[in-house]
Amino acid sequence: LAAILALSGCGGSSPANSAPAENPYGLIEPGTIRVASLGDSKPYTFTDAQGNFTGFDVELFKDVAHRAGVDNVVFTGQDFSGLLAAVANGQFDVGVAAIGITDKRKETVDFSEGYLAGYLTVITTKTSGIKDVDGLSGKRLGVVQGTLQEAYAVKNFTSANLVRFPDNNTAISAVNSGSVDAHFLDYEAAKAYQEQYGLVSAADIPSFDAPAGFAIAKDKPAFKEALNKGLAAAMQDGTWKKLYQKWFPGSPMPEQYLPKAEQTASP
Ligand SMILES: NC(=O)CC[C@H](NC[C@@]1(O)OC[C@@H](O)[C@@H](O)[C@@H]1O)C(=O)O
């Protein structure tokens, strides 16, 4: 009878449209999540003295992956400009690197719900004379290729001379060596570099319309749903808040990611 059932194809297998039971999220290697990330965007994602990836985005993602039932998470550093393509073409299961969700990027990848909304910051040396965005006129401004900062600068800092870098480290060393006058990166990473090199902030530009999300390939609905459920649970039980206060002490905390009971009644 079993042979007949098997032949007839009605042996009760899982519905045709879901991934095989042993790999529900369609991972490259079942049971392991391969993450494309950055090593130099402290405190979002960076490698510590032992070479381990850590930071707010890293720890939040590992928490969410745990809630989705996957504890084997492998991080690999990438240039930001190649990160989304590497996720889209199946080299990685997910991109985790303070990646702002935009319609343009959704042409290449899909995103989880947002988990962090903040500012884009211009940092410079104390002696550059750049005190605000007008001060960028005629100056050399560093941007990391493929970032929202690059797109924003192309559109809005039209009198600055943009210099594209593969990552923050090379851009910051160019600021320190004087080969560029300023660099344009994420607020918390800018703060870390300011502390490390005595640089100063010249402008903070809100990027709340493009909150950071986890970038995944387009055809992974079960994976996306699991990440969103994990994110919602981490926000609701205060894990998100704990990680935010650990990695961004003193920074204003966006309310929308706090437990519902802690959100002030919407006006
Ligand atoms: N890691 C990077 O270099 C990413 C740079 C840049 N991050 C922007 C952003 O996602 O950073 C975290 C939050 O402040 C978001 O509001 C912001 O859009 C981007 O998505 O292009």
Side-chain angles (χ1 to χ4, degrees), residues 38 41 44-45 80 97-101 105 116-120 144 146-149 168 186 207-208 210-212:
L38 300 174
S41 285
Y44 304 97
T45 60
F80 190 82
I99 308 167
I101 300 168
R105 287 172 171 172
L116 187 64
Y119 295 84
L120 314 181
V144 172
T147 61
L148 296 185
Q149 283 84 350
N168 286 321
D186 285 345
S207 188
F208 303 132

Coordinates of all heavy atoms in Angstrom, one line a residue, residues 38 41 44-45 80 97-101 105 116-120 144 146-149 168 186 207-208 210-212, ligand 1:
L38 N 29.6 44.3 8.2 CA 30.8 45.2 8.1 C 31.6 45.1 9.3 O 31.1 44.9 10.4 CB 30.3 46.7 7.9 CG 29.4 47.0 6.8 CD1 28.9 48.4 6.9 CD2 30.1 46.8 5.5
S41 N 31.9 49.5 11.4 CA 30.9 50.5 11.7 C 30.5 50.4 13.1 O 29.3 50.2 13.5 CB 29.6 50.2 10.8 OG 29.9 50.6 9.5
Y44 N 27.5 49.8 15.5 CA 26.4 49.0 14.9 C 26.9 47.6 14.6 O 26.4 46.6 15.1 CB 26.0 49.6 13.5 CG 25.6 51.0 13.6 CD1 26.5 52.1 13.3 CD2 24.3 51.4 13.9 CE1 26.1 53.4 13.3 CE2 23.9 52.7 13.9 CZ 24.8 53.7 13.6 OH 24.4 55.0 13.6
T45 N 28.0 47.5 13.8 CA 28.5 46.2 13.4 C 30.0 46.4 13.3 O 30.5 47.3 12.6 CB 28.0 45.6 12.1 OG1 28.4 46.6 11.1 CG2 26.6 45.4 12.1
F80 N 30.4 47.6 1.8 CA 29.0 47.9 1.8 C 28.4 47.8 0.3 O 27.3 47.3 0.1 CB 28.7 49.3 2.4 CG 27.2 49.5 2.6 CD1 26.6 49.0 3.7 CD2 26.5 50.2 1.7 CE1 25.3 49.2 4.0 CE2 25.1 50.3 1.9 CZ 24.5 49.8 3.0
A97 N 23.8 45.4 8.7 CA 24.8 46.4 8.7 C 24.2 47.8 8.7 O 24.5 48.6 7.9 CB 25.7 46.3 7.5
A98 N 23.2 48.0 9.6 CA 22.5 49.3 9.6 C 22.1 49.8 8.2 O 22.4 50.9 7.8 CB 23.4 50.4 10.3
I99 N 21.5 48.8 7.5 CA 21.1 49.1 6.1 C 19.7 49.7 6.1 O 18.7 49.1 6.4 CB 21.1 47.7 5.4 CG1 22.4 46.9 5.5 CG2 20.8 48.0 3.9 CD1 22.3 45.5 5.1
G100 N 19.7 50.9 5.6 CA 18.4 51.7 5.5 C 17.5 51.1 4.5 O 17.9 50.7 3.4
I101 N 16.2 50.9 4.8 CA 15.2 50.3 3.9 C 14.8 51.4 2.9 O 14.3 52.5 3.4 CB 14.0 49.8 4.7 CG1 14.4 48.8 5.7 CG2 12.9 49.3 3.8 CD1 13.3 48.4 6.8
R105 N 16.5 50.0 -2.9 CA 17.1 48.8 -2.5 C 16.2 47.6 -2.6 O 16.6 46.5 -2.8 CB 17.7 49.0 -1.0 CG 18.9 49.9 -1.0 CD 19.3 50.2 0.4 NE 20.6 50.9 0.3 CZ 21.2 51.5 1.4 NH1 20.5 51.5 2.6 NH2 22.3 52.1 1.3
L116 N 15.8 50.4 13.6 CA 16.6 51.5 14.1 C 16.5 52.7 13.2 O 16.7 52.6 12.0 CB 18.1 51.1 14.1 CG 19.1 52.0 14.8 CD1 18.8 52.2 16.3 CD2 20.5 51.5 14.6
A117 N 16.1 53.9 13.8 CA 16.0 55.1 12.9 C 16.9 56.2 13.6 O 16.8 56.4 14.8 CB 14.5 55.5 12.9
G118 N 17.7 56.8 12.8 CA 18.6 57.8 13.3 C 19.1 58.8 12.3 O 18.4 59.1 11.3
Y119 N 20.3 59.3 12.5 CA 20.9 60.4 11.7 C 22.1 60.0 10.8 O 22.8 59.0 11.2 CB 21.3 61.5 12.6 CG 20.2 62.1 13.4 CD1 19.7 61.6 14.6 CD2 19.6 63.3 13.0 CE1 18.7 62.1 15.3 CE2 18.5 63.9 13.7 CZ 18.1 63.3 14.8 OH 17.0 63.8 15.5
L120 N 22.3 60.7 9.8 CA 23.5 60.7 8.9 C 24.4 61.8 9.4 O 23.8 63.0 9.5 CB 23.2 60.8 7.5 CG 22.0 59.9 7.0 CD1 21.8 60.1 5.5 CD2 22.1 58.4 7.3
V144 N 31.0 56.4 1.7 CA 31.2 55.0 1.4 C 30.3 54.6 0.3 O 29.1 54.9 0.3 CB 30.9 54.1 2.7 CG1 30.9 52.6 2.3 CG2 31.9 54.4 3.8
G146 N 27.7 53.3 -2.2 CA 26.5 52.5 -2.1 C 25.7 52.8 -0.9 O 24.6 52.3 -0.7
T147 N 26.1 53.8 -0.1 CA 25.3 54.1 1.1 C 24.3 55.2 0.8 O 24.4 55.9 -0.2 CB 26.3 54.7 2.3 OG1 26.9 55.8 1.7 CG2 27.3 53.6 2.7
L148 N 23.4 55.4 1.8 CA 22.4 56.5 1.7 C 23.2 57.8 1.7 O 22.7 58.8 1.1 CB 21.4 56.4 2.8 CG 20.5 55.2 2.9 CD1 19.5 55.4 4.0 CD2 19.9 54.9 1.6
Q149 N 24.3 57.9 2.4 CA 25.1 59.1 2.5 C 25.6 59.5 1.1 O 25.5 60.7 0.7 CB 26.3 58.9 3.4 CG 26.0 59.0 4.9 CD 25.5 57.7 5.5 OE1 25.2 56.7 4.7 NE2 25.4 57.6 6.8
N168 N 34.5 52.7 5.9 CA 34.7 53.8 6.8 C 36.2 54.0 7.2 O 36.7 55.1 7.2 CB 33.9 53.7 8.1 CG 32.4 54.0 7.9 OD1 32.0 54.9 7.1 ND2 31.5 53.2 8.5
D186 N 27.2 57.1 9.4 CA 26.1 57.1 10.4 C 26.5 57.7 11.7 O 27.6 57.6 12.1 CB 25.7 55.6 10.6 CG 24.9 55.0 9.4 OD1 24.4 55.9 8.6 OD2 24.8 53.8 9.3
S207 N 17.4 60.5 9.2 CA 17.2 59.5 8.2 C 16.1 58.5 8.7 O 16.1 57.3 8.5 CB 18.5 58.7 7.9 OG 18.3 57.8 6.8
F208 N 15.0 59.2 9.3 CA 14.0 58.4 9.9 C 13.1 57.7 8.8 O 12.4 56.7 9.1 CB 13.1 59.3 10.8 CG 13.9 59.9 11.9 CD1 13.8 61.3 12.1 CD2 14.8 59.2 12.6 CE1 14.5 61.9 13.1 CE2 15.6 59.9 13.6 CZ 15.4 61.2 13.9
A210 N 14.1 56.1 6.4 CA 14.8 54.9 6.0 C 15.4 54.1 7.2 O 16.6 54.0 7.3 CB 15.9 55.2 5.0
P211 N 14.5 53.6 8.0 CA 15.0 52.8 9.2 C 15.8 51.6 8.7 O 15.6 51.1 7.6 CB 13.8 52.4 9.9 CG 12.7 52.4 8.9 CD 13.1 53.5 8.0
A212 N 16.8 51.2 9.5 CA 17.6 50.0 9.2 C 16.7 48.8 9.3 O 15.9 48.6 10.2 CB 18.8 49.9 10.1
Ligands
LIG1 N1 26.6 50.5 7.4 C1 26.6 51.5 6.6 O1 27.6 52.1 6.2 C2 25.2 51.9 6.2 C3 25.1 53.4 6.0 C4 23.6 53.8 5.9 N2 22.9 53.6 7.1 C5 21.7 54.5 7.3 C6 20.8 54.0 8.4 O2 20.2 52.8 8.1 O3 21.6 53.9 9.6 C7 20.8 53.5 10.8 C8 19.7 54.5 11.1 O4 20.2 55.7 11.5 C9 18.8 54.6 9.8 O5 17.8 55.7 10.1 C10 19.7 55.1 8.6 O6 18.9 55.2 7.5 C11 22.9 53.1 4.7 O7 22.0 52.4 4.9 O8 23.4 53.4 3.5

